Amino acid sequence: PKHHYLLDAPVKDPDGHPAVVKFSRKTREQFVASERDGTATGWRAMFVDGKWVEERPATASAKGKRAPKKKTRTSAPRAKSKRSAG
């Protein structure tokens, strides 16, 4: 009876990856998260106030991904150095 709430947990994340029951040692509570090929996807669901609350990871565009810097040439190209024959 103590852990029956886990039976109501989401079985899959919105992308269709299977959910896995985990335990957070930091907060000392159970939650479910999804994994893809053994790597965490970032999606997880926590049991809060009698219902499951899903959390999705922030997308790359929402994180403020910057555009790549343009390569500019600040000086003339270097001349090839001559090696002395030895």
Side-chain angles (χ1 to χ4, degrees), residues 32-67:
V32 293
S34 64
E35 295 180 351
R36 178 180 48 226
D37 299 327
T39 306
T41 62
W43 174 88
R44 68 184 201 166
M46 305 287 291
F47 192 73
V48 180
D49 295 329
K51 61 181 179 178
W52 286 97
V53 180
E54 296 183 20
E55 298 176 4
R56 295 206 90 193
T59 60
S61 61
K63 287 184 180 179
K65 188 175 181 180
R66 292 184 271 176

Side-chain angles (χ1 to χ4, degrees), residues 63-84:
K63 287 184 180 179
K65 188 175 181 180
R66 292 184 271 176
K69 291 183 180 180
K70 290 184 178 180
K71 293 183 180 180
T72 58
R73 184 169 278 171
T74 56
S75 61
R78 295 175 135 185
K80 292 183 178 180
S81 62
K82 295 180 182 179
R83 290 188 170 185
S84 58

